[in-house]
Amino acid sequence: MSEFVSIAARQEGAVGIIELARPDVLNALSRQMVAEIVAAVEAFDRNEKVRVIVLTGRGRAFAAGADIQEMAKDDPIRLEWLNQFADWDRLSIVKTPMIAAVNGLALGGGFELALSCDLIVASSAAEFGFPEVNLGVMPGAGGTQRLTKLIGPKRALEWLWTGERLPAEEAHKLGIVTRVVSPELLMEETMRLAGRLAEQPPLALRLIKEAVQKAVDYPLYEGMQFERKNFYLLFASEDQKEGMAAFLEKRKPRFQGK
């Protein structure tokens, strides 16, 4: 994998780990950092040996938002030419399961990055929020859309309008966060979850993820038809043959992603 400046990326077994590495600025998301995150995610997504991707932040924050110093003097024409959110859009089509391990602050773009992942494991000290309104702007990388689909428009509006922070436990109650753990156990518990998913049949995980994503936008009947086609498709896989044979033979399956 290419050398990065703003992040660190490594592979541990079947898990690809991406660590945001600008702790001196609370991992503020510069355009370079976002481009590097997306490049690393896509590299792991293409790697058949990587079955789960974990994103986390170095230091006291997951990511405390966008790099405001970089954006303060932007204008609409420059933003249009930069097309900076195109990188964010690429995260939406990643097929490998993604887990955000959130330590500390996940604000603005940092919250949007966490919401781009499939699961969020948060430390009990984590805080989430969209403070953009306090700067005279609003989320632009999917925050209004993803938060609303998760918790509904009225709750989303309250947090988006006030810019207040959402503690990890409350985010868990609202269904934003998957698990809340003590800060010292964050990576241990995240890697345990990632390891569990890595043992599952990777093709099934990918098609389940795809079907769940469609469920958010599709009417029920169309979503069920999409689900059914993916169900049928998995019967063309070696993993389906192995999984059912292992069940009948009362042994642990050995999934190969084929």
Side-chain angles (χ1 to χ4, degrees):
M1 190 172 290
S2 304
E3 291 296 322
F4 296 115
V5 175
S6 303
I7 67 170
R10 67 185 187 277
Q11 183 177 340
E12 293 186 10
V15 181
I17 302 171
I18 299 170
E19 185 179 38
L20 282 57
R22 300 179 71 204
D24 53 320
V25 290
L26 299 178
N27 297 320
L29 294 166
S30 65
R31 294 182 179 112
Q32 178 181 4
M33 176 183 264
V34 172
E36 290 183 0
I37 291 169
V38 174
V41 167
E42 290 181 333
F44 282 140
D45 195 39
R46 291 191 299 268
N47 186 341
E48 292 184 3
K49 295 181 179 179
V50 173
R51 297 189 176 185
V52 183
I53 301 170
V54 171
L55 272 70
T56 192
R58 184 178 298 174
R60 297 187 296 115
F62 178 73
D67 190 331
I68 303 304
Q69 187 171 3
E70 183 179 65
M71 297 176 62
K73 295 184 179 180
D74 280 339
D75 60 65
I77 302 303
R78 173 172 163 75
L79 290 172
E80 174 64 26
W81 280 111
L82 284 172
N83 193 22
Q84 68 187 53
F85 295 124
D87 282 336
W88 289 85
D89 293 341
R90 286 155 59 191
L91 293 174
S92 299
I93 58 175
V94 171
K95 294 187 176 183
T96 305
M98 295 173 60
I99 305 173
V102 177
N103 49 308
L105 300 175
L107 304 177
F111 194 5
E112 288 173 311
L113 181 60
L115 290 174
S116 297
C117 295
D118 303 303
L119 304 175
I120 301 175
V121 180
S123 87
S124 56
E127 292 184 305
F128 302 84
F130 286 116
E132 287 91 338
V133 67
N134 298 322
L135 303 176
V137 291
M138 61 181 285
T144 63
Q145 305 305 297
R146 286 194 167 95
L147 186 64
T148 301
K149 288 178 184 295
L150 276 173
I151 66 175
K154 295 188 184 302
R155 285 175 171 172
L157 276 172
E158 180 180 357
W159 293 109
L160 290 160
W161 277 347
T162 64
E164 292 177 357
R165 295 180 184 180
L166 190 65
E169 288 291 352
E170 190 165 352
H172 182 252
K173 291 176 183 177
L174 289 172
I176 298 169
V177 167
T178 313
R179 301 183 182 184
V180 178
V181 301
S182 60
E184 62 272 15
L185 294 178
L186 176 63
M187 286 309 297
E188 180 181 336
E189 291 298 321
T190 301
M191 292 302 291
R192 182 178 289 114
L193 175 59
R196 177 72 182 91
L197 295 181
E199 293 176 349
Q200 301 290 75
L203 293 174
L205 291 187
R206 286 178 171 229
L207 294 190
I208 290 170
K209 173 176 175 173
E210 191 176 51
V212 170
Q213 288 175 333
K214 297 298 183 186
V216 175
D217 299 313
Y218 277 21
L220 179 60
Y221 180 77
E222 284 78 0
M224 290 175 65
Q225 294 304 306
F226 186 89
E227 174 190 76
R228 203 156 297 156
K229 289 179 180 178
N230 279 3
F231 173 79
Y232 295 153
L233 181 59
L234 286 170
F235 276 76
S237 71
E238 294 179 18
D239 281 350
Q240 175 268 328
K241 308 297 186 295
E242 167 63 13
M244 292 191 176
F247 176 82
L248 294 173
E249 296 165 11
K250 296 180 171 55
R251 61 174 174 81
K252 184 176 181 179
R254 296 179 294 275
F255 296 119
Q256 302 296 319
K258 298 180 181 178

